[in-house]
Amino acid sequence: MASKQLVNNLSKVGRRGQNWLAPLTAVRNGSSRSDIDKVTHTGQVFDKDDYRNVRFVNAKRYVNENWGIKMIDEVRPIESTERVVFCDGGDGPLGHPKVYINLDAPGSHTCGYCGLRFVKKDDHHH
């Protein structure tokens, strides 16, 4: 609703005979550009009639497909026999604050800063 009201108010501002909203109308009225339909890693995608699409009338909308979460998922979980591990992101001053991660519960446990996963390796004694 707000976008329609904004578009209607903006059309009154333009010069007489100037149709500067025509590109927006084209995008809004069913233009099937694949770059506008792409979903970002945060799930952001605009409806066809969203006024924010006007940013992409004369330009292509680029969506980075190298999402950080996909890249960190390619790193195997770090196995440990300890109950509690710490993660500081590595690389000294280029890392992050040290956090301690409890591995008592089954499954992998993720660092809240960098996304590295840790898993407790079962230690069997016979």
Side-chain angles (χ1 to χ4, degrees):
M1 286 185 135
S3 62
K4 288 181 183 179
Q5 182 180 4
L6 177 65
V7 170
N8 289 336
N9 290 341
L10 288 175
S11 64
K12 296 174 187 174
V13 174
R15 294 184 191 141
R16 192 180 302 185
Q18 180 184 20
N19 190 5
W20 59 278
L21 284 175
L24 174 60
T25 307
V27 169
R28 191 175 49 188
N29 289 338
S31 169
S32 60
R33 288 177 41 188
S34 63
D35 60 329
I36 291 182
D37 296 334
K38 283 189 178 180
V39 179
T40 67
H41 71 286
T42 60
Q44 181 187 50
V45 64
F46 301 137
D47 292 334
K48 296 271 187 227
D49 62 344
D50 196 316
Y51 72 93
R52 292 173 286 189
N53 282 331
V54 75
R55 297 180 290 174
F56 310 113
V57 169
N58 295 323
K60 181 178 170 130
R61 179 176 180 231
Y62 292 98
V63 175
N64 185 354
E65 298 183 12
N66 292 324
W67 301 350
I69 195 69
K70 286 182 182 178
M71 295 170 70
I72 200 68
D73 280 344
E74 293 175 3
V75 177
R76 293 177 52 138
I78 300 168
E79 292 182 343
S80 174
T81 57
E82 302 294 323
R83 291 181 55 215
V84 177
V85 296
F86 74 89
C87 182
D88 62 2
D91 296 332
L94 298 177
H96 58 70
K98 184 187 286 188
V99 292
Y100 292 90
I101 302 168
N102 187 333
L103 302 181
D104 283 341
S108 65
H109 303 274
T110 306
C111 172
Y113 281 101
C114 64
L116 284 176
R117 292 168 295 156
F118 297 86
V119 66
K120 186 168 190 228
K121 184 177 179 181
D122 289 332
D123 191 17
H124 296 283
H125 295 286
H126 294 344

